[in-house]
Amino acid sequence: MIPTYRRALIVGAGSGLSASLARLFAADGLKVGLAARNVEKLQDLAAETGAALHACDATDPGAVEALFARLEPALGGSPDVVVYNASARLRGGIADLDPAAVAHAISVSATGGFYVAQAAARRMLPHRHGAILFTGASASVKGFSGSAPFAMGKFALRGLAQSLSRELQPQGIHVAHVIVDGAIRSAARPDSEDHPDATLDPEAIAKTYLALLRQDRSAWSDEVAVRPWVERF
């Protein structure tokens, strides 16, 4: 059986992958809510997709709970698709990193994912229906030099997704982690003429999320990796 979804929330929304997700979800008939620290940058996207905008700091559990409470009247009910797309990159050598900044980066990349997933699950469990999707990165499976905080956050988010998939999927809630293993294409980061398709098209990535929502529950995926076809393994 393929579940039917009606309302989607994207947390950590911006102009890249989140924008492509919002457009694709709206085109597929879902009502969309977009949450970010700064929603002013999302005004044009909201006008294009009919999305409801809500300012939210995902590292604050009270703010996350208030977000879900505000969404219900805006979307006509609780979201039955929730995408956690927030992350924080912090670079530096281990001897020079500020511990407070590291803690904040991990909170954005991972702890916020827990707060959002908890709020979503509390509303989905009574209906035994919903989907929670987490956006991972290359750093979810391999830590790079000078990028320890990002790797710690993304490793933690992957662990959260694995635990929740085992807990919630038997109760009707599809949990999946999408590893975006490469750079996402943008106007500021286009492919060069001699290396076409060296980056990931955000619209193509978004189609992978939609494909997860269209999976029959007899064969749900709990993790998918997407990468440029030219990447060397």
Side-chain angles (χ1 to χ4, degrees), residues 58-143:
T59 67
D60 179 348
V64 170
E65 187 61 31
L67 166 66
F68 276 79
R70 294 196 307 269
L71 274 173
E72 293 182 10
L75 297 182
S78 296
D80 50 11
V81 175
V82 173
V83 179
Y84 191 74
N85 201 37
S87 63
R89 294 178 182 270
L90 177 65
R91 298 191 59 83
I94 187 65
D96 302 316
L97 286 167
D98 174 31
V102 172
H104 179 262
I106 295 172
S107 183
V108 174
S109 293
T111 312
F114 166 77
Y115 295 145
V116 170
Q118 183 180 61
R122 284 172 171 167
R123 290 159 173 82
M124 294 174 180
L125 280 168
H127 306 286
R128 299 182 67 85
H129 167 74
I132 303 172
L133 308 178
F134 298 96
T135 299
S138 303
S140 302
V141 294
K142 48 191 173 186

Side-chain angles (χ1 to χ4, degrees), residues 121 125 132 163-175:
L125 280 168
I132 303 172
S163 294
L164 294 188
S165 67
R166 289 171 170 83
E167 175 185 350
L168 298 179
Q169 288 193 171
Q171 302 185 71
I173 300 169
H174 189 178
V175 178

Side-chain angles (χ1 to χ4, degrees), residues 148-232:
F150 191 52
M152 287 190 289
K154 285 300 186 181
F155 265 68
L157 189 71
R158 188 185 189 204
L160 172 66
Q162 290 181 357
S163 294
L164 294 188
S165 67
R166 289 171 170 83
E167 175 185 350
L168 298 179
Q169 288 193 171
Q171 302 185 71
I173 300 169
H174 189 178
V175 178
H177 178 245
V178 181
I179 300 173
V180 182
D181 191 8
I184 298 177
R185 189 179 309 159
S186 67
R189 184 167 48 194
D191 286 335
S192 62
E193 292 185 3
D194 56 336
H195 288 90
D197 294 326
T199 56
L200 294 110
D201 182 344
E203 294 184 6
I205 302 172
K207 291 177 182 177
T208 296
Y209 285 70
L210 186 60
L212 285 167
L213 298 182
R214 290 176 171 170
Q215 286 183 331
D216 189 284
R217 69 180 184 183
S218 69
W220 274 348
S221 298
D222 61 2
E223 184 166 84
V224 176
V226 294
R227 56 176 60 89
W229 72 280
V230 298
E231 179 165 324
R232 294 183 178 89

